[in-house]
Amino acid sequence: MDDDLIPSVFARDCASRGVLANVTGRWGGLALAALHEGSFRFNALRRRVDGVSEKMLAQTLQALERDGLVRREVQATIPPRVEYSLTEFGTRVAAKFVELIELVEGEIGTAREAQEAYDRAH
Amino acid sequence: MDDDLIPSVFARDCASRGVLANVTGRWGGLALAALHEGSFRFNALRRRVDGVSEKMLAQTLQALERDGLVRREVQATIPPRVEYSLTEFGTRVAAKFVELIELVEGEIGTAREAQEAYDRAH
């Protein structure tokens, strides 16, 4: 994207599409939503985001840190303690994502009925 | 997920996680955001969502239709005209997703600065 242009996720080369992809990727949104509840150490976060592998969570957190959404803090204890939390930008994005999650969770009955109707018809 | 339980995207087997994955998948969110602007025929939608292949867009629309977010209407013209639009549920989800997109687009400068700082440090 040229700096002169208005950012648009619809344009394939716009940087905003990359950030959005990290936010909404397989694990990115769930990690953000978990961190919206508070800061976590790596293993505790992994337990919260049920089903994520160690490798995928590490990659997800790196991408979110690089985008300025997640802060990684190493505390000088022995052994060192690594804690993940949201930045100010991350907090705003996570809050919006949590709203999306709550909408989907609240309408899961609607979705299931639609799925059953679709599967009968196809 | 048991019907008795509160739906939770954090649980790996919860149906809401599947719907959320379709909404926020590589192309799902962009397709919803495009349809939030109005109904589209397949090829027009494909042009709007820059970079999506025919196959991926077809699969994306099928998944969104199955979840009850997108309506597919075949008009009895020759040749038949197929139009995609949002359901009431889809409109609410798309509106929330558009808010998320606007937040990310509006803060793309924050994200880019963070990316540059991260890349210098790593």
Side-chain angles (χ1 to χ4, degrees), chain B residues 82-96:
Chain B
V82 183
E83 234 177 39
Y84 295 89
S85 59
L86 296 177
T87 62
E88 193 268 338
F89 175 35
T91 302
R92 290 169 58 207
V93 169
K96 196 56 76 184

Side-chain angles (χ1 to χ4, degrees), chain A residues 55-82:
Chain A
K55 189 180 163 195
M56 284 308 303
L57 183 58
Q59 284 178 4
T60 298
L61 289 170
Q62 264 171 34
L64 296 175
E65 186 191 352
R66 182 171 180 271
D67 289 340
L69 296 157
V70 162
R71 187 183 296 116
R72 180 178 182 276
E73 272 168 318
V74 183
Q75 288 159 9
T77 53
I78 299 169
R81 207 185 154 109
V82 183

Side-chain angles (χ1 to χ4, degrees), chain A:
Chain A
M1 190 195 74
D2 261 26
D3 279 325
D4 303 344
L5 297 175
I6 294 164
S8 167
V9 290
F10 288 115
R12 76 178 87 187
D13 295 327
C14 183
S16 65
R17 188 186 273 191
V19 176
L20 187 72
N22 291 336
V23 167
T24 65
R26 176 98 204 266
W27 302 111
L30 293 181
L32 289 176
L35 290 168
H36 196 247
E37 298 168 355
S39 60
F40 277 87
R41 291 174 69 181
F42 186 87
N43 286 322
L45 187 58
R46 201 182 147 200
R47 283 191 294 276
R48 183 71 182 113
V49 182
D50 186 25
V52 70
S53 72
E54 197 170 317
K55 189 180 163 195
M56 284 308 303
L57 183 58
Q59 284 178 4
T60 298
L61 289 170
Q62 264 171 34
L64 296 175
E65 186 191 352
R66 182 171 180 271
D67 289 340
L69 296 157
V70 162
R71 187 183 296 116
R72 180 178 182 276
E73 272 168 318
V74 183
Q75 288 159 9
T77 53
I78 299 169
R81 207 185 154 109
V82 183
E83 233 178 38
Y84 295 89
S85 58
L86 296 177
T87 62
E88 193 269 337
F89 175 36
T91 303
R92 290 169 57 209
V93 170
K96 196 56 75 184
F97 201 81
V98 166
E99 286 176 33
L100 181 65
I101 286 175
E102 287 172 349
L103 175 55
V104 169
E105 287 178 346
E107 290 291 339
I108 194 64
T110 304
R112 286 174 148 201
E113 275 171 36
Q115 288 170 356
E116 285 164 18
Y118 184 93
D119 292 345
R120 276 194 303 272
H122 289 79

